[in-house]
Amino acid sequence: MDANELLTRLCQAIDAHAWDELAPLLHEDFVCRYVHTGETFDRDSWVRLNADYPGFEHLVIDDLVASGDRAVARCHVTARADGGLVHFEVATFITATDSQISSMTEVWTDVDAVPPTATRPVSSLPSPLR
């Protein structure tokens, strides 16, 4: 499998909650780095993190770009927390080796993050969510 197919299948498995399908897509030396928290995960701990994430509902690919052994996807993720639905965006960058994902870097953010005051032109500020 090339990087495009690997990342697509990974995202589809996560959305389907098919946790047993994740490890076969990941190289035995797989490493995932979370830029936003500084955490690093091996194959087993990354699969467990996803399978055990509280309230996870869906992951939808919004954009995917691939070339050779590299691919990146921007996805929208929803989960249930505190009695409501929460939204996240994630950018996932992968490198493929021997038809498996050997390395991954992810950057997560809350969708409802508010820009720091006085750092944006007034016209660019988002309107309240409805």
Side-chain angles (χ1 to χ4, degrees), residues 1-126:
M1 275 186 270
D2 65 10
N4 181 56
E5 187 176 359
L6 283 166
L7 189 50
T8 299
R9 285 191 182 188
L10 184 86
C11 291
Q12 290 170 340
I14 292 170
D15 184 54
H17 299 222
W19 311 123
D20 58 329
E21 294 179 19
L22 295 181
L25 298 171
L26 307 177
H27 195 274
E28 65 182 14
D29 296 326
F30 170 84
V31 174
C32 177
R33 178 173 171 257
Y34 277 13
V35 172
H36 55 291
T37 62
E39 295 169 282
T40 302
F41 303 93
D42 64 10
R43 178 174 58 189
D44 293 339
S45 64
W46 187 81
V47 170
R48 182 64 23 227
L49 171 73
N50 281 274
D52 290 348
Y53 194 86
F56 169 74
E57 287 196 351
H58 294 290
L59 180 146
V60 177
I61 298 172
D62 289 330
D63 195 6
L64 193 147
V65 178
S67 179
D69 67 347
R70 301 285 316 229
V72 61
R74 181 178 54 84
C75 300
H76 186 86
V77 177
T78 55
R80 292 276 167 194
D82 300 324
L85 191 63
V86 291
H87 298 266
F88 303 95
E89 293 287 326
V90 60
T92 301
F93 302 81
I94 68 156
T95 300
T97 304
D98 301 327
S99 296
Q100 291 179 304
I101 299 169
S102 56
S103 68
M104 176 185 295
T105 300
E106 290 194 322
V107 184
W108 287 82
T109 189
D110 295 334
V111 169
D112 60 355
V114 177
T117 57
T119 62
R120 309 289 193 277
V122 172
S123 62
S124 73
L125 295 178

